[in-house]
Structures are given as structure tokens and as C-alpha cells.
Amino acid sequence: MPMGMQMKITKYRKALKVTYLKWNLLILLACLLFMHGYVKLESTGDNLFHIFINGIQVGSTASPQEAEEMLWDARRQIAASSEELILMDVEMTYVGEEIMYGYVDDPGEVYDNICQALRSGMQETSVRSYTLKMDQYMVNLASVEEMEQLLQAVISKYDSEGKFGVDIVQDENRLFNVLTIDTVDMQRQLEEQELQQQEQFLYPEGGVQAQLTELFAQDVEKEEKDFEDYELGIMSMDFAEKVEIVEAYLPQSQLQPLEKAIEELTVEQETAGIYVVQAGDTLSEISLKVNIPMEQIVAMNDALETVNTTIRVGQELIITVPEPKVSVERTEVNYYEEIYDAQVIYIDKDEWFTTQTNVVQQPHAGFRKIVAQENYLNDTLTEREILKEEVLMEAVPKIVERGTKVPPTYIKPISGGRSSSGFGRRSAPTKGASTYHKGQDWATAVGTTVVASCGGRVSRAGWGSGYGYVVYIDHEDGRQTRYAHLSKIVVKVGDYVKQGQKIALSGNTGISTGPHLHFEMLIGGKQVNPLKYLK
């Protein structure tokens, strides 16, 4: 082949090859531009976004707005699948980048991935529930019906007649959806409804007839009732605390089973309380009122030595009584045939201390028939009013003379000091010492000032055998104090000393194991634990 022809063919092949490459490149560009899922090149910033839901990558979209629309659609779909309130932890983040050519994920797959991420981040489904708030107590139940059963169980504990029911009603004084409780006398409500139905078929009275009927009703009211005329039983019943029920959405795990809630509200627990002594009270009467044995009341109160200890009006006694978490008040009218005691008659003696009493007349119980209106808090009688009484045998009252003067107080006779031996049984600390310690010892240096624990007259001051140097002081309330093992006495017999006045210096005289003050208190000539009487 001629050389010139060969060069032309080679040149033609090169042109065809270039043309072929150009067309292929144009076709490829066209495919990239028009193929679904590709992003064309724009120099406007980020144009491909990687979407994350709660840290989980769900796919890539062309814009954050597209992902947000998918997110809201997914939330609506999940919420619509349940009638209850669904809570979700949702945090959408994205990372954008600018690319020349990029592939976005299929929208359907991205949407499915978003739904899956939301379901994995769902909190426990919250259900419609009702929260009962009563004083310090709160409980969550599933329905109003369960609330009614709970509160009905509380009042039924004290409603032996089954007269009262519970209605849950809207609280008109509250703006929000707050419910409250009405206790209803169902028997009386039924009677009133029957009476209204009967009155619908009767002609109303008018003129003179109506006036005569009204006058007759007034005369009947004024006429004294006989015992059988009284309506007996529970007259009213209500909760002592304010009851509120609030509608809420709560996780199922926070709802309490009805049976457990009933047990919590009705089972009584021992609660420490205070009883304030009233005029006419005796320890035996208080014991009956609070249903606690006298010995147990004495054990709970340091101020009571025995069941015969005198109590005074206004004195506070510690009592432990069983009480439920929720209290119920009720009023009853009851008929009794009972033995009764007349109220104690007190004769005040201004020259006596309040610790002094004298029984002038012993009581004798009487017998009577009564109708009484009684108020109760749970099972505790709080108030009683006798509506009708017929005495069959008159009670004889107890007559007691009592002092009105406040007795003197007693203070510790030294400043400081270490308690080295208390009142009561002990091992003899030294030969000749008693194994039953009749006072209180405080170890202190020789020469510590000793003062009168209470004002009184010095009845002895000098040597007292095992006491060493000792001082006795007689006090106005009949008590006596003794101060022993002294090193020096600065008062003499017959002196009247005031409370806190210096009477001696501490020492180590008599039968003693070391420098200390021995302090005694005597009531009725008998040593008692002095620490119980020091203020």
C-alpha cells in the first residue's frame, strides 16, 4: 500500500477513536444527570447529607428538610398505632458534604430505617391513669373505677351498716382536671328519691291547710323525743384529709395493683402521738380513751413513776396508737344502757403544791339509759354529746382536794463533773460501801463549789458517818436533798438558802473511793433517782 494512503487511514482511525470517546463521555454524563438517585454538581455548598437518629445512621438524603419530613411522618405513624401516650427519645443529626457526583439512598429505605430507630428509642408506653393525693400519701391506679373501689374499701372498714358509698366528682374550685370525693348516704338517697316520686302523684297543699301542716310539724319538733324516736346508726362519714384525684399519663410500671393499694390504706401502723391531759382526766380514764394499758403509758413517759403518779391539766403524755395512712371521720347516734361515773369534783387548795392531793369522797358508779351523738376519728372516740338521758341509779362523784401552787424546780448542784456512779444496784466500790446506790455521784476535784439544788431550810450540816461531811436541805414541797463527802460546809442548821446558793465545797470524806460529790433526793423519806427531777 502506498505510504500516503497508509498515513491517511491511520489519521482517520485516530479521529474515529476520539469521536467514539467523546460520544461515550457525553452518553455517560447524560446517564449520570438523569439517572434517579444522583445529585448533580452545584457549587452552592453541602449537597449530600448523612442522617443520624439517636446516633444511628439511617441513610443519606439530598437535604435535611427531606429527612425531617420523613421523621415527622414516622412519628405520626408510630403514635397512631397505639391509643395510649407514647414517649420517644428523638435526636436527629446530620453530616453534610459537597460532592461533584453522589448517590443518595432510596427514600423508602431511609424512612424504614427512621421508623426502626424511633422504635428502639421508644420509652415505656404511658397509659391513662389516675393519681390519688391525700396528705402525705400518693398512689397511681389504672381507672376511676379502681379509685372508687379503693376509697370504698377505706370507708367500709368503719361502715358496718354498708350505708355509705363513694362518688368521684369534678372539683369545681379547680381549673384543671382535678377530681374530688363525695361520700353519699346511699340508703337516705334512695329514700329521698322514692319520696320525690310519691310527691309527684300528690296534690300540693295550699292556703290554710298548708299553714296548719307547718304548725303541726313545728309542734312535733318541739315535743321531747322518747328513746325509740331517735334514728340510730351512722349519720355522716367523710375523709379527714383532703382528697384529690388527678388524671395523668404514666408508664405501666408506675401503676399499683388495686389489692396492694387497699392493703396500704387500710392496714394500721403504730404512730407516736401526744395526749394532752384534760380537766377531770385520770390515768385509768386516759388508758380507756386511747386503748393503751396504764403500765405501757407509764413506760413511755419518764415523768410517770407509777400508775398512781399524779397528772396535771395540760401535761403532755406520749402515747403510741395504731393509725392507718388515711383517716375517716364519722358521726354516730347510739343507744346505751351503761354503768357511768360522775365527773370528779376538785377542791382547790392554794396553799398546797400541785403534787399534793387528798381524796375527800370515794366515787360510786351509777346506771343510766342514754342516746348519745358520738364523733369518731377512725376507731377513736373524739367527742360525745348526750342527747337524751334517763338515770336509773345516781352516781356518786369522787371529791379530791388538790394543790394549785407550782412546785419548786431542782438543778444540778455542781458545774461540770463526770458521772461516776448512778442510782440503783452496783458492785460495792470499796469496803463498807453500799451495793445499792441511793444517789448520784459526780467525780470532781476537791474544792468544787456545791450549790443548793432547790431553795429550802438546812436541817443538818456536819459529819455523817459514811457520808463524811454532809448537808441536808428540806424543801417546801416536802422533798429533801442531801450533799455528801464534802471538804467544807459554809451553811449551818436553820439557815434558809436559795436555789443556786453556795452551801459547801466538794471533797473526799467518809467512805469514798476518790474526790466526788454524792447527791440524794428523798420523797416521803425514801430515796429516788434525782436525775428524773433535775431540770
Side-chain angles (χ1 to χ4, degrees), residues 2 23 40 99 111-112 166 202 209 218 235 263 298 313:
W23 277 105
K40 64 182 179 180
I99 60 173
Y111 180 81
D112 291 342
V166 171
L202 299 175
Q209 182 62 37
Q218 292 175 357
M235 298 293 107
E263 182 180 356
V298 171
V313 175

Side-chain angles (χ1 to χ4, degrees), residues 393-437:
M393 185 174 69
E394 194 79 33
V396 176
K398 182 178 183 178
I399 301 176
V400 179
E401 294 177 326
R402 64 181 182 184
T404 59
K405 282 201 308 183
V406 177
T409 59
Y410 291 81
I411 62 174
K412 185 178 176 182
I414 63 169
S415 295
R418 174 180 58 82
S419 177
S420 55
S421 182
F423 181 87
R425 294 198 175 278
R426 66 175 181 179
S427 299
T430 186
K431 185 178 179 181
S434 172
T435 57
Y436 189 91
H437 196 218

Side-chain angles (χ1 to χ4, degrees), residues 179-350:
L179 306 175
T180 188
I181 303 301
D182 279 347
T183 51
V184 181
D185 188 334
M186 297 181 294
Q187 181 179 334
R188 184 168 297 175
Q189 191 178 61
L190 182 61
E191 292 173 354
E192 290 175 353
Q193 291 174 354
E194 291 176 352
L195 183 60
Q196 289 175 359
Q197 292 174 359
Q198 293 174 6
E199 289 176 347
Q200 291 177 358
F201 300 99
L202 299 175
Y203 293 103
E205 294 179 341
V208 176
Q209 182 62 37
Q211 294 178 6
L212 290 174
T213 301
E214 184 179 350
L215 289 172
F216 177 75
Q218 292 175 357
D219 290 339
V220 170
E221 289 178 0
K222 292 178 182 178
E223 186 178 339
E224 185 177 356
K225 291 182 179 180
D226 205 346
F227 285 103
E228 58 268 18
D229 295 330
Y230 285 91
E231 180 185 355
L232 303 179
I234 302 175
M235 298 293 107
S236 66
M237 178 173 283
D238 204 351
F239 292 98
E241 299 88 0
K242 181 174 177 58
V243 181
E244 287 186 350
I245 299 174
V246 181
E247 184 179 343
Y249 281 89
L250 296 171
Q252 189 77 35
S253 60
Q254 292 186 20
L255 301 186
Q256 195 164 8
L258 176 61
E259 296 75 15
K260 185 177 180 182
I262 290 175
E263 182 180 356
E264 282 189 359
L265 279 189
T266 55
V267 172
E268 294 182 339
Q269 301 176 344
E270 288 201 346
T271 305
I274 298 294
Y275 180 87
V276 180
V277 178
Q278 308 295 318
D281 274 346
T282 62
L283 199 56
S284 60
E285 290 169 342
I286 294 172
S287 173
L288 292 173
K289 281 183 183 179
V290 300
N291 197 28
I292 300 175
M294 286 192 292
E295 292 76 11
Q296 188 174 337
I297 296 176
V298 171
M300 288 187 288
N301 291 271
D302 292 338
L304 303 179
E305 293 183 21
T306 68
V307 294
N308 297 316
T309 300
T310 302
I311 56 177
R312 63 182 185 277
V313 175
Q315 184 176 353
E316 294 184 348
L317 300 178
I318 299 172
I319 56 173
T320 302
V321 294
E323 289 184 353
K325 288 186 176 179
V326 176
S327 297
V328 175
E329 296 175 327
R330 71 184 186 279
T331 300
E332 297 183 6
V333 175
N334 295 311
Y335 169 79
Y336 298 99
E337 294 180 2
E338 64 178 16
I339 295 171
Y340 77 100
D341 293 316
Q343 282 194 340
V344 179
I345 297 174
Y346 289 100
I347 301 173
D348 291 337
K349 295 287 188 178
D350 295 338

Side-chain angles (χ1 to χ4, degrees), residues 6 14 20 32 53 79 97 104 106 170 174 199 261 269 279 299 357 376 411 467 484:
Q6 188 176 0
K14 288 181 179 179
Y20 174 76
L32 290 173
I53 302 294
E97 60 177 321
V104 296
D106 180 79
Q170 182 71 40
R174 302 293 292 272
E199 289 176 347
Q269 301 176 344
T357 60
Y376 288 87
I411 62 174
Y467 281 151

Side-chain angles (χ1 to χ4, degrees), residues 11-12 29 48 85 89 141 164 169 181 192 197 212 214 304 330 337 369 372 396 410 424 446:
K11 210 184 249 189
Y12 180 71
L29 287 173
L48 181 67
L85 183 65
D89 288 325
L141 295 179
F164 288 84
V169 297
I181 303 301
E192 290 175 353
Q197 292 174 359
L212 290 174
E214 184 179 350
L304 303 179
R330 71 184 186 279
E337 294 180 2
K369 296 191 298 182
V396 176
Y410 291 81
V446 173

